[in-house]
């Protein structure tokens, strides 16, 4: 795995690694509504302990041949300040270097849907990767197609 891909994996793993992590908000913004638009983007609270994220983005100019994702992790210290990582990954190269090339081809030609991503599942997948301080966090991702920012997704959470 390339160093940049390792950093992105660690960034995601760090955000979701502690079992007491809780989603607090999600915000999705399309920066070019002729290219993409969010059909839905929400955090649903079923009860005090069960929350999940759901996102669907409609892509209007498919297939997409050049995509990058920039992820930055922020921690709240009198406002959100950059914390640990600011990584940009060439998504096409990343997907094409895996053994899932049919999935890569599919992802770049259709709307993207993430339904009911719940924190219990994420915690189960990547737990106890690194010690992580308690506090409020923000994972901000910029989705860049053809070197133009197309969308911003912000996922907020707390670690207690």
């Amino acid at each position: 795995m390339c160093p940049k891909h390792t950093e992105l994996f660690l960034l995601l793993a760090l955000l979701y690694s502690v079992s007491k992590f809780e989603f607090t908000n999600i915000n999705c913004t399309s920066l070019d509504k002729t290219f993409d638009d969010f059909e839905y983007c929400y955090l649903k609270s079923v009860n005090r302990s069960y929350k999940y994220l759901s996102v669907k983005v409609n892509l209007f100019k498919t297939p997409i041949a050049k995509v990058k994702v920039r992820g930055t992790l922020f921690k709240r210290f009198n406002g959100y300040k950059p914390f640990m990582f600011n990584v940009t990954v060439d998504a096409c190269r990343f997907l094409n270097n895996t053994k899932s090339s049919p999935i890569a081809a599919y992802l770049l030609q259709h709307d993207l849907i993430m339904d009911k991503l719940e924190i219990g599942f994420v915690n189960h997948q990547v737990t106890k990767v690194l010690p992580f301080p308690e506090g409020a966090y923000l994972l901000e991702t910029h989705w860049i197609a053809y070197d133009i920012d197309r969308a911003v997704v912000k996922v907020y959470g707390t670690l207690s």
Side-chain angles (χ1 to χ4, degrees):
M1 189 178 284
C2 296
K4 284 188 178 184
H5 298 146
T6 303
E7 289 174 357
L8 180 62
F9 175 75
L10 286 175
L11 171 66
L12 294 172
L14 283 173
L15 183 60
Y16 299 117
S17 64
V18 178
S19 61
K20 302 243 182 185
F21 181 81
E22 179 180 8
F23 293 127
T24 56
N25 198 6
I26 185 169
N27 182 299
C28 303
T29 306
S30 174
L31 302 175
D32 181 357
K33 296 212 183 258
T34 63
F35 189 84
D36 61 36
D37 198 15
F38 289 92
E39 187 170 320
Y40 54 82
C41 173
Y42 62 86
L43 171 65
K44 178 150 182 159
S45 181
V46 176
N47 57 38
R48 287 185 180 188
S49 61
Y50 182 70
K51 295 180 182 179
Y52 63 81
L53 296 175
S54 289
V55 177
K56 180 178 181 185
V57 61
N58 298 314
L59 302 175
F60 303 125
K61 296 183 179 178
T62 57
I64 302 170
K66 189 175 181 184
V67 179
K68 293 180 185 175
V69 180
R70 182 175 66 240
T72 306
L73 184 63
F74 295 87
K75 188 172 191 304
R76 191 167 64 199
F77 301 104
N78 293 326
Y80 284 98
K81 309 284 189 229
F83 182 76
M84 296 184 86
F85 292 105
N86 182 355
V87 179
T88 302
V89 175
D90 183 334
C92 296
R93 184 172 164 210
F94 178 74
L95 290 170
N96 288 329
N97 283 340
T98 66
K99 294 179 182 177
S100 60
S101 290
I103 293 172
Y106 179 81
L107 286 176
L108 301 174
Q109 295 180 25
H110 301 280
D111 295 343
L112 301 175
I113 302 170
M114 179 180 65
D115 249 355
K116 297 185 179 179
L117 174 65
E118 53 110 353
I119 197 62
F121 171 77
V122 176
N123 282 328
H124 179 71
Q125 298 301 314
V126 285
T127 58
K128 300 178 184 174
V129 178
L130 292 172
F132 212 67
E134 292 182 356
Y137 292 91
L138 159 62
L139 175 62
E140 181 177 293
T141 58
H142 288 253
W143 297 80
I144 304 160
Y146 305 107
D147 296 321
I148 300 171
D149 265 6
R150 304 296 182 159
V152 178
V153 177
K154 296 178 181 181
V155 179
Y156 297 84
T158 58
L159 208 102
S160 56

